[in-house]
Amino acid sequence: MFHQPTEETRIKKIIMMDINNQIQEFNHKNRAAHTFRFQYISELLSQKGIDVQAIIQKIIDFQIAIPSWALGTGGTRFGRFPGGGEPRSLEEKIEDIGLLHQLNRSSDSISLHIPWDIPRDPAAVKSQLQSQGLKIDSVNSNTFQDQPDQPFSYKFGSLCHTDAAVRQQAIDHNIACIEHGKALDSKVLTVWLADGSNFPGQQHFRRSWQRTADSLASIYQAMPHDWTMLIEYKPYEPNFYSMVIPDWGSSYSLCQHLGKNAQVLVDLGHHLPNTNIEQIVARLMHFGRLGGFHFNGSMYGDDDLTTGSIKPYQFFLIFNELVDAMSDPAVKNPPLAWMIDASHNVKDPLEDLMQSVQNILSTYAKALLVDRVALAAAQENNDVLAAEELLRDVFATDTRALVAEASRQAGGAMDPIGVYRSLEIRKQLIENRGKKSVATGL
Ligand code: LRH
Ligand code: MN
């Protein structure tokens, strides 16, 4: 049994994230219920000739990057409702993500946003990352806000701006982001531009595209040859008449223009209502230009809600296209960047992120269960109902015990949120950081 540490060290120990004993104790207490559920799904799948351990290994290998800008309560257009204990620095953000990774063993990397999370002491950040089994996946540039000491404003855009001096300022910022990334062994620059217009006539569509393409080319040339540029599209907000990069086609055309190290980033919330996102995903995989995802859930717009919380069947269909393409040797698409991009208002940010990771892994697991030979046969024979029912049957399969088992085998918690709550970690974070601590970001 554990010795009783002093109050201060107990809080620090929890926050310095060594909760392995509590996780193993919690798994042990819930072993019987898990064994029953896991044996049931294993039996069901083995009868279909599915190698269950191979599925579990794929789930274990599926690591999701956590956004450094989504560890606080971002707020709505109208208000912000902080829950307390928010990380006050990059170091505390890394502590929080380290905690997530200890709990679910599926969150081994961080997406950084510059300048919200400039690594002041890269060496210290690197050793902290190492000590917590984490790494930096991508650095995100930000030319959608004016910084206090900035010479030129991005009010009328950044890389597309009519004034070359403003474009150069934005290019320099992106190159500075690459330098921050290099200091932390990242190899990915993510570019999302708020550039666009609010009124007809305000912006020349062809000139603004060309200026953006030329500006991105300057950044692309500054990127080390083993880096990737992810170009994220968005149909509207903050501009509401046009965005310079509103859709996958615009991002794809820029990637074609730049070179093989430029890929399209699909943020699930960046689509007009009723967009067939799974078809876009299949198309980009077919072209070998899908770079990765910003996972989140949305009902209407860029709502940045918990992943899979609003349209779970569409989310499954997206993963079905991904697994279909990833298991087709004819598809030459580079490894994908799996990242969450969300903001939190009414849920504990860490619980919301753990819930997103659970939903992503259980949906990925479903897509791994699809009998692709039978599906192809039904599709080639135009047996519509058989094809549809094959997918619906898999979608109706409860894969949560597979995700719990994968976490257990990887040394994590079978029920990460259960452990987080039973240890009252948010209460500990509030005691240590205060009720009013505010995180940078969304
Ligand atoms: C834009 C976006 C982009 C980030 C920002 C935090 O809506 O999805 O990925 O830079 O959110
Ligand atoms: Mn995004």
Side-chain angles (χ1 to χ4, degrees):
M1 274 314 291
F2 329 111
H3 69 291
Q4 292 310 321
T6 60
E7 185 58 15
E8 180 47 36
T9 46
R10 188 173 68 75
I11 290 174
K12 200 65 197 144
K13 189 165 185 266
I14 289 265
I15 294 173
M16 283 314 288
M17 334 269 173
D18 179 5
I19 55 174
N20 280 326
N21 302 333
Q22 285 94 333
I23 288 173
Q24 300 321 318
E25 197 187 318
F26 200 90
N27 285 351
H28 187 71
K29 253 194 321 209
N30 297 282
R31 184 80 191 226
H34 169 67
T35 306
F36 174 79
R37 289 163 52 139
F38 178 56
Q39 277 174 348
Y40 167 75
I41 183 82
S42 301
E43 192 50 41
L44 196 74
L45 298 180
S46 311
Q47 281 167 8
K48 292 181 177 175
I50 291 173
D51 175 346
V52 175
Q53 188 52 38
I55 301 281
I56 288 174
Q57 191 53 51
K58 283 200 169 142
I59 298 170
I60 290 172
D61 299 339
F62 194 101
Q63 293 292 322
I64 300 155
I66 305 295
S68 64
W69 59 89
L71 295 162
T73 41
T76 69
R77 282 199 304 146
F78 305 101
R80 186 183 177 127
F81 312 96
E86 294 186 11
R88 301 159 294 183
S89 65
L90 177 56
E91 288 65 28
E92 290 189 347
K93 290 184 176 191
I94 295 172
E95 281 175 10
D96 287 7
I97 297 171
L99 178 72
L100 288 183
H101 191 47
Q102 275 201 70
L103 286 164
N104 63 27
R105 306 311 294 170
S106 298
S107 313
D108 75 349
S109 54
I110 305 178
S111 308
L112 274 190
H113 222 300
I114 307 291
W116 292 337
D117 300 301
I118 290 180
R120 302 287 172 211
D121 175 348
V125 169
K126 275 177 79 169
S127 73
Q128 185 190 3
L129 289 167
Q130 244 129 33
S131 70
Q132 301 196 249
L134 300 172
K135 62 184 189 306
I136 298 290
D137 81 326
S138 79
V139 283
N140 292 252
S141 61
N142 175 345
T143 58
F144 50 84
Q145 293 171 326
D146 289 346
Q147 303 309 317
D149 52 4
Q150 195 173 296
F152 303 109
S153 170
Y154 293 134
K155 179 174 180 177
F156 296 110
S158 62
L159 298 181
C160 76
H161 202 288
T162 55
D163 180 339
V166 179
R167 299 198 298 275
Q168 191 56 50
Q169 175 181 275
I171 291 167
D172 296 345
H173 165 71
N174 278 274
I175 294 173
C177 290
I178 294 170
E179 293 313 312
H180 285 303
K182 281 157 71 173
L184 295 174
D185 303 333
S186 170
K187 291 193 178 314
V188 179
L189 171 70
T190 298
V191 180
W192 169 68
L193 302 173
D195 294 14
S197 68
N198 278 326
F199 300 95
Q202 173 186 342
Q203 187 173 61
H204 190 278
F205 293 145
R206 293 183 293 108
R207 286 199 296 274
S208 57
W209 188 93
Q210 192 57 51
R211 287 178 178 136
T212 301
D214 299 344
S215 300
L216 286 170
S218 305
I219 300 166
Y220 188 87
Q221 265 123 43
M223 248 179 24
H225 67 79
D226 60 352
W227 270 56
T228 297
M229 180 188 286
L230 298 178
I231 301 180
E232 185 177 0
Y233 58 87
K234 185 174 181 179
Y236 68 92
E237 194 190 29
N239 284 289
F240 293 94
Y241 173 64
S242 71
M243 297 283 273
V244 174
I245 312 177
D247 54 27
W248 74 271
S250 301
S251 175
Y252 175 67
S253 61
L254 285 165
C255 293
Q256 296 280 78
H257 176 80
L258 293 169
K260 67 177 184 47
N261 289 23
Q263 305 285 345
V264 178
L265 174 59
V266 175
D267 184 312
L268 297 183
H270 292 187
H271 298 90
L272 297 173
N274 309 326
T275 298
N276 188 324
I277 305 174
E278 54 271 30
Q279 185 182 33
I280 293 172
V281 166
R283 191 69 32 90
L284 287 168
M285 286 294 273
H286 195 65
F287 297 155
R289 283 287 182 175
L290 180 60
F293 288 87
H294 274 180
F295 290 125
N296 48 55
S298 55
M299 180 69 179
Y300 303 104
D302 188 20
D303 308 340
D304 280 345
L305 300 172
T306 314
T307 307
S309 59
I310 307 293
K311 302 171 186 135
Y313 191 53
Q314 180 182 47
F315 191 46
F316 163 68
L317 295 173
I318 290 169
F319 262 104
N320 175 52
E321 292 303 332
L322 284 168
V323 171
D324 186 89
M326 290 185 326
S327 48
D328 178 345
V331 171
K332 303 285 180 249
N333 196 90
L336 295 162
W338 312 110
M339 304 172 278
I340 290 173
D341 178 4
S343 66
H344 319 286
N345 291 301
V346 294
K347 289 180 182 177
D348 175 312
L350 296 180
E351 291 188 355
D352 197 337
L353 289 164
M354 284 188 279
Q355 203 186 7
S356 279
V357 171
Q358 297 303 101
N359 292 350
I360 293 164
L361 295 175
S362 56
T363 306
Y364 171 54
K366 288 175 194 267
L368 292 172
L369 302 181
V370 173
D371 180 339
R372 304 223 160 260
V373 176
L375 180 61
Q379 289 166 334
E380 295 308 309
N381 301 325
N382 298 306
D383 186 342
V384 178
L385 185 133
E388 185 199 12
E389 279 307 313
L390 195 151
L391 290 184
R392 294 174 59 78
D393 174 57
V394 169
F395 178 67
T397 305
D398 184 351
T399 55
R400 292 174 294 178
L402 298 176
V403 175
E405 177 61 14
S407 181
R408 188 191 69 76
Q409 289 186 17
M414 297 186 301
D415 174 7
I417 294 172
V419 174
Y420 177 86
R421 287 196 165 194
S422 72
L423 294 179
E424 297 182 311
I425 292 181
R426 178 54 62 186
K427 187 161 159 283
Q428 319 262 1
L429 292 170
I430 292 170
E431 279 164 9
N432 189 56
R433 298 170 180 171
K435 193 113 192 64
K436 292 270 172 279
S437 61
V438 173
T440 54
L442 288 185

